[in-house]
Amino acid sequence: MKICVASGKGGTGKTTVAVSLALALDNVQYLDCDVEEPNGAIFLKPEINQKAMVEIPVPEIDEQKCNYCRKCAQLCAFNALVVLAEKTLVFPEMCHGCGGCSYICPQQAITEKKRAIGMIERGHAGDIDFIQGILNVGEPMAPPIIKKEQSLIDASRTVILDAPPGTSCPVIETVRDTDFCILVTEPTPFGLNDLRLAVETMREIKVPFAVVINQWGIGDNVVDEYCDQEGITVLMRIPWDRRIAEGYSRGEPAVAVLPQLRGNFKKLFNQIVEITDESLTCIN
Amino acid sequence: MKVCISSTGRDVGALVDPRFGRCQMFLFVDTETMQCEAVENPAMTAGGGAGTQAAQLAVDKGVLAVITGNIGPKAFSVLDAAGIKMYVGVSGTVQRAVEQFKNGDLPATGTPSVARHSGMGAGKRI
């Protein structure tokens, strides 16, 4: 079972939920896919014992062979190549590594060289198989790193994927092959606005989802009302509690600060199992 | 001499668009005859690489100079490598900009004038 923890808005408590869920369950693999700013490690404190670079192929032009026909520049959807009268320029940071330019070059003037964009770290936090991706500062493309993390998924475990915030490519990459997505939000107009975007995204990519409201009690009822209208299940309401915030600032997971929450997260998981079983039954 | 000007409209009476890569329109003007060709910027709504795509267009049209409000680092590298001179910080009508250029009143720039992604926001942030 692969469960993604996502949100429209940043700072709603994805990591709080993902980490607490990982700690409340047995036989878990935790993937931190928020590769621009992975922070699950602060709470899970894993012992890292494997590191690997993530590289993408980028074009290298052999000026001796290039006849400036510009087929490569016309093909590139990301404008990473520009052909001048007697020079072909490559902008490696814009290249998505599709390999199309080297494939179509009639002069075979393009070879691919590897460019490192980040790394993957793997280790253990207690019994949890811990994996995190780290995108190098200034690099724009998170998906290749997330894909690499997902290639390490151990299907014999309950896999928890901590997604980046928002609804852009890295989020889609993280969530699309999972069995269920928890959308974490806060009970405020900001939380609602971004939750709507996340809900539209999940409906579009057809991943079953439900909502967890964090910091319940700080705002208003707009999120509850919205979920009610839309027929979206609210799986859990984590009350606003200063002790959780204080623990967070010290790098302590919510379930460590308030051990009674452990049962709530187990229940959360059981509800998800029930929902996904039901949807499977529907499909069958 | 043929020059490329980022423009908000189709003729020389239009205002110079302050963005290069994500401007609305390019006017290719012959400074001798003031003959003008308007080309919609194919890169205005590009997901990424607007600067390089727009610069490629200017190169393909064989211009010797680009006149605009601001220019980003990638468009700068392309135009610089192609030996095209760049004149930035220009505002007012295209007509006036061309006249200033012909009179030698515009200093060429040797560096990009804005950071990458500065022209994004579909015209909302000018």
Side-chain angles (χ1 to χ4, degrees):
Chain A
M1 169 90 124
K2 290 180 276 186
I3 302 171
C4 180
V5 184
S7 72
K9 186 180 176 301
T12 55
K14 279 181 302 301
T15 302
T16 297
V17 170
V19 163
S20 296
L21 198 55
L23 290 169
L25 306 177
D26 298 322
N27 195 27
V28 165
Q29 186 181 42
Y30 175 93
L31 270 65
D32 197 334
C33 298
D34 189 1
V35 301
E36 286 179 76
E37 214 166 28
N39 61 351
I42 296 171
F43 302 94
L44 291 171
K45 302 177 178 62
E47 196 178 312
I48 301 293
N49 45 37
Q50 290 175 49
K51 290 184 182 189
M53 297 268 265
V54 179
E55 298 171 320
I56 61 163
V58 295
E60 190 167 40
I61 313 290
D62 183 342
E63 292 280 350
Q64 304 294 322
K65 292 183 183 167
C66 179
N67 66 353
Y68 315 105
C69 73
R70 58 186 60 202
K71 289 208 165 73
C72 57
Q74 284 159 2
L75 177 85
C76 183
F78 303 100
N79 304 315
L81 290 145
V82 175
V83 182
L84 307 178
E86 288 183 351
K87 177 131 192 86
T88 297
L89 301 176
V90 179
F91 292 86
E93 71 277 23
M94 293 158 76
C95 170
H96 283 49
C98 76
C101 55
S102 62
Y103 182 75
I104 61 143
C105 177
Q107 299 296 313
Q108 296 179 330
I110 303 180
T111 49
E112 292 178 335
K113 62 175 178 183
K114 300 276 188 198
R115 193 170 78 87
I117 60 165
M119 69 190 318
I120 300 281
E121 295 186 340
R122 188 171 193 173
H124 290 279
D127 294 334
I128 300 169
D129 181 12
F130 177 93
I131 294 167
Q132 69 175 356
I134 303 166
L135 183 67
N136 289 346
V137 171
E139 287 294 339
M141 265 192 305
I145 298 191
I146 296 168
K147 277 185 192 151
K148 191 83 178 178
E149 285 185 76
Q150 287 170 334
S151 72
L152 303 172
I153 281 179
D154 176 355
S156 71
R157 290 177 181 255
T158 299
V159 185
I160 294 167
L161 299 94
D162 193 353
T167 51
S168 62
C169 298
V171 179
I172 307 297
E173 196 60 55
T174 305
V175 73
R176 69 173 166 199
D177 288 329
T178 58
D179 302 302
F180 193 84
C181 184
I182 299 171
L183 295 176
V184 185
T185 188
E186 60 179 35
T188 65
F190 302 109
L192 175 62
N193 182 75
D194 293 357
L195 174 65
R196 280 178 197 271
L197 300 173
V199 165
E200 283 172 30
T201 307
M202 295 308 138
R203 286 180 174 159
E204 182 71 31
I205 61 176
K206 298 186 171 55
V207 171
F209 65 94
V211 164
V212 167
I213 306 178
N214 189 24
Q215 296 185 294
W216 200 61
I218 58 161
D220 49 27
N221 282 327
V222 288
V223 170
D224 281 280
E225 285 164 12
Y226 166 75
C227 290
D228 209 29
Q229 280 163 19
E230 294 284 323
I232 298 166
T233 310
V234 178
L235 290 172
M236 187 177 178
R237 293 177 179 82
I238 306 172
W240 185 86
D241 188 314
R242 192 181 167 91
R243 289 169 294 177
I244 298 177
E246 285 175 356
Y248 188 90
S249 69
R250 290 190 299 265
E252 293 168 11
V255 288
V257 180
L258 298 177
Q260 63 271 33
L261 284 177
R262 198 172 280 264
N264 299 53
F265 279 99
K266 274 190 182 149
K267 203 175 125 199
L268 171 69
F269 175 71
N270 291 336
Q271 279 177 279
I272 292 171
V273 172
E274 271 173 38
I275 295 172
T276 48
D277 279 352
E278 273 170 32
S279 58
L280 278 180
T281 317
C282 291
I283 293 163
N284 293 339
Chain B
M1 184 204 284
K2 197 184 202 180
V3 299
C4 167
I5 301 152
S6 63
S7 169
T8 56
R10 296 191 152 270
D11 57 62
V12 292
L15 294 175
V16 173
D17 195 314
R19 302 154 300 176
F20 177 71
R22 292 188 185 275
C23 69
Q24 293 176 47
M25 190 79 71
F26 287 111
L27 296 189
F28 296 95
V29 179
D30 184 321
T31 55
E32 316 305 317
T33 62
M34 285 308 278
Q35 210 175 10
C36 167
E37 181 196 1
V39 177
E40 279 188 32
N41 178 9
M44 187 170 86
T45 55
T52 56
Q53 203 184 344
Q56 174 89 68
L57 176 68
V59 171
D60 292 352
K61 288 281 181 183
V63 303
L64 296 178
V66 162
I67 301 170
T68 185
N70 283 300
I71 205 146
K74 294 196 192 80
F76 181 89
S77 339
V78 173
L79 296 171
D80 192 46
I84 296 172
K85 286 213 156 49
M86 289 160 268
Y87 301 86
V88 300
V90 181
S91 57
T93 64
V94 170
Q95 171 94 40
R96 180 165 160 265
V98 174
E99 278 160 15
Q100 286 177 318
F101 171 75
K102 281 163 76 175
N103 295 336
D105 292 343
L106 300 178
T109 183
T111 55
S113 59
V114 286
R116 67 201 183 102
H117 295 168
S118 294
M120 292 178 90
K124 288 176 215 141
R125 190 180 58 186
I126 293 180

